[in-house]
């Protein structure tokens, strides 16, 4: 099918005026593919491969074991400092360490230990599954009760029994953006601590951890931060909780003097206390390189374009697929993805992949289209909606 002329002309005009247009050239993207899965795996910046090859050849290969004392050991904190501005954190509060699931486990246990005398963990009812799995295990291991509640009901649900609230900043299915300031304030009014999962918001929407007085947060780096498959996650540990952060995975990397080889554990000062095991240096340094793309970016411009891409996606749906079932909010209370419900489910997304439009599918019937402002174009948005209509017509 041919795109409506007015929408095609609008896409071209928006791309021509895009202040981030030059950023796309910094990514290694197949021009034949329209990539809408940066909310699951970000595209690689072109320079990362060369940087990582140099790490292997010159640091691992050339300096060998000496590299640990020449920048490797301190890299989790150093790279954390590069992420801190992207989550609204002052220096000294973000460290890159382990996976999201491991970081969430460490943080949740430390949070319930920091708020004794309360026996309940409240969990975002629509949470990403791994958050629910981890929270259930933390509750079982610490003797707490786990209760799932819709975030809209948080203010009424949190009470004197609530030790910790765990919530997703952006809902992974619908793309809805939750109010971090109000959610945190509601938890605090009840005397609870607040843990936010930033996996679908970091690198996409403005995050103000310090400004919202958040206690703890975790986030991944392989989505909108483009750190690569399996790149390590990060922990935000508000300065006021650092010296009492009592985490359960007391590994040597979080020790006050890891090379003293002491028999007993003494937690490191500051945010380094959230570290556990030996860092995965190749992935960590690939992430470090990938973060370079943010050095000259105004995040307000990123947010403005992300919302504009979403608005244009809705415009295309209205003109090309009127009546589409879209759970993503039309107002700007959303992250940078548009979700469309389709009864064809996974085969529809598979057909889109065959036609070079790469989004993803979430059961039972949600097609997700991630909008990465650093490289997604308006023309690609139009292509996605046009191709979705073609697929629907061919399958039904």
């Amino acid at each position: 099918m041919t795109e409506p002329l007015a929408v095609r002309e609008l896409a071209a005009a928006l791309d021509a005026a895009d202040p981030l247009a030059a950023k796309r050239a910094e990514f290694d993207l197949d021009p034949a593919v329209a990539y809408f899965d940066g909310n699951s795996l970000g595209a690689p910046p072109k320079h990362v491969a060369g940087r990582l090859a140099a790490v292997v050849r010159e640091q691992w290969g050339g300096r060998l074991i000496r590299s640990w004392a020449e920048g490797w050991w301190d890299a989790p904190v150093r790279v954390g400092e590069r992420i801190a501005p992207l989550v609204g954190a002052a220096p000294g509060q973000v460290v890159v360490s382990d996976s999201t699931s491991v970081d969430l486990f460490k943080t949740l246990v430390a949070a319930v230990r920091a708020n004794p005398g309360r026996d309940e963990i409240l969990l975002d009812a629509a949470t990403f599954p791994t958050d629910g799995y981890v929270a259930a295990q933390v509750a079982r291991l610490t003797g707490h009760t786990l209760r799932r509640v819709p975030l809209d009901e948080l203010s009424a649900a949190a009470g004197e029994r609530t030790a910790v609230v765990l919530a997703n900043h952006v809902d992974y299915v619908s793309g809805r953006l939750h109010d971090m300031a109000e959610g945190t304030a509601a938890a605090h009014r009840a005397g609870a601590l607040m843990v936010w999962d930033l996996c679908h918001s970091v690198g996409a929407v403005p995050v103000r951890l310090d400004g919202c007085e958040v206690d703890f947060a975790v986030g991944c780096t392989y989505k909108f931060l483009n750190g690569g498959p399996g790149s390590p996650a990060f922990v935000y540990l508000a300065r006021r909780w650092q010296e009492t952060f009592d985490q359960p995975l007391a590994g040597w990397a979080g020790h006050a003097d890891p090379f003293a080889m002491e028999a007993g554990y003494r937690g490191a000062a500051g945010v380094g206390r959230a570290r556990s095991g030996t860092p995965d240096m190749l992935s960590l340094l690939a992430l470090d390189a990938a973060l370079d793309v943010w050095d000259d970016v105004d995040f307000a411009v990123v947010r403005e374009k992300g919302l504009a891409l979403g608005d244009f996606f809705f415009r295309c749906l209205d003109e090309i697929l009127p009546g589409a079932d879209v759970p993503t909010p039309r107002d700007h209370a959303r992250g940078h993805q548009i979700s469309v419900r389709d009864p064809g489910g996974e085969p529809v997304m598979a057909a889109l992949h065959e036609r070079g439009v790469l989004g993803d599918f979430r059961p039972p019937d949600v097609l997700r289209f991630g909008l990465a402002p650093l490289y997604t174009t308006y023309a690609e948005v139009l292509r996605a909606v046009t191709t979705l209509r073609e697929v629907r017509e061919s399958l039904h």
Side-chain angles (χ1 to χ4, degrees):
M1 119 175 232
T2 304
E3 303 105 338
L5 179 60
V7 181
R8 193 171 354 123
E9 290 176 343
L10 178 57
L14 289 169
D15 280 329
D18 177 11
L20 294 173
K23 273 290 168 184
R24 182 181 172 92
E26 298 181 25
F27 289 85
D28 195 0
L29 286 162
D30 181 349
V33 168
Y35 190 57
F36 291 96
D37 214 3
N39 54 327
S40 286
L41 176 64
K46 288 179 178 177
H47 69 279
V48 170
R51 187 85 62 83
L52 196 53
V55 168
V56 172
R57 183 176 59 254
E58 298 167 13
Q59 296 181 27
W60 182 14
R63 301 301 294 165
L64 294 166
I65 195 67
R66 291 171 290 186
S67 292
W68 282 110
E70 296 171 355
W72 282 8
W73 188 258
D74 296 329
V77 173
R78 184 179 72 249
V79 179
E81 296 289 15
R82 301 192 69 188
I83 293 173
L86 300 177
V87 294
Q93 298 178 104
V94 178
V95 65
V96 177
S97 172
D98 305 307
S99 69
T100 306
S101 297
V102 172
D103 283 345
L104 186 59
F105 176 77
K106 293 187 298 187
T107 302
L108 269 182
V109 172
V112 298
R113 287 175 173 174
N115 205 4
R118 292 166 174 254
D119 65 356
E120 178 182 76
I121 298 171
L122 287 189
L123 176 67
D124 172 5
T127 191
F128 189 75
T130 197
D131 292 31
Y133 306 154
V134 170
Q137 291 302 311
V138 170
R140 184 171 69 88
L141 292 169
T142 61
H144 285 67
T145 298
L146 180 66
R147 183 158 62 101
R148 293 174 177 261
V149 296
L151 281 193
D152 290 343
E153 301 173 13
L154 175 60
S155 293
E160 62 184 15
R161 293 181 53 199
T162 309
V164 179
V165 178
L166 169 61
N168 288 255
H169 192 201
V170 171
D171 181 81
Y172 82 103
V173 175
S174 69
R176 179 184 175 189
L177 173 66
H178 294 293
D179 188 330
M180 177 176 285
E182 174 52 33
T184 304
H188 288 173
R189 285 194 296 270
L193 302 182
M194 190 73 211
V195 179
W196 285 98
D197 181 328
L198 307 179
C199 287
H200 289 85
S201 58
V202 61
V205 304
V207 180
R208 299 186 306 111
L209 294 177
D210 285 353
C212 295
E213 299 185 343
V214 171
D215 301 296
F216 311 101
V218 298
C220 69
T221 62
Y222 48 78
K223 300 182 190 296
F224 291 107
L225 293 186
N226 312 299
S231 59
F234 64 89
V235 174
Y236 165 82
L237 179 52
R239 195 176 304 279
R240 63 187 178 277
W241 293 112
Q242 290 181 4
E243 295 311 307
T244 56
F245 186 73
D246 184 12
Q247 63 130 316
L249 299 181
W252 81 309
H255 195 280
D257 189 359
F259 295 96
M261 304 302 171
E262 296 176 4
Y265 182 78
R266 292 184 294 118
V271 73
R273 187 182 291 257
R275 295 175 63 175
S276 292
T278 304
D280 182 342
M281 289 312 306
L282 296 183
S283 287
L284 181 57
L285 296 179
L287 167 63
D288 191 19
L291 290 171
D292 289 353
V293 299
W294 295 97
D295 286 347
D296 59 350
V297 171
D298 181 343
F299 205 87
V301 176
V302 173
R303 179 58 170 161
E304 182 179 4
K305 182 184 175 183
L307 290 171
L309 285 166
D311 291 342
F312 185 63
F313 205 113
F314 279 113
R315 167 81 179 267
C316 292
L317 287 171
D318 290 343
E319 298 204 16
I320 299 170
L321 274 176
D325 185 357
V326 183
T328 306
R330 279 186 177 259
D331 63 21
H332 288 176
R334 64 174 186 257
H336 291 175
Q337 75 177 56
I338 302 295
S339 297
V340 180
R341 289 195 176 96
D342 191 292
E346 194 167 12
V348 171
M349 185 53 70
L352 285 169
H353 279 217
E354 290 174 359
R355 291 163 171 80
V357 175
L358 304 187
D360 66 12
F361 167 75
R362 290 293 179 264
D365 59 359
V366 174
L367 312 178
R368 300 193 313 169
F369 299 88
L371 308 172
L374 297 189
Y375 53 80
T376 301
T377 69
Y378 295 91
E380 288 175 326
V381 168
L382 177 55
R383 176 183 172 186
V385 178
T386 302
T387 307
L388 177 57
R389 176 166 176 172
E390 292 172 354
V391 167
R392 281 184 165 186
E393 290 176 344
S394 70
L395 293 178
H396 300 302

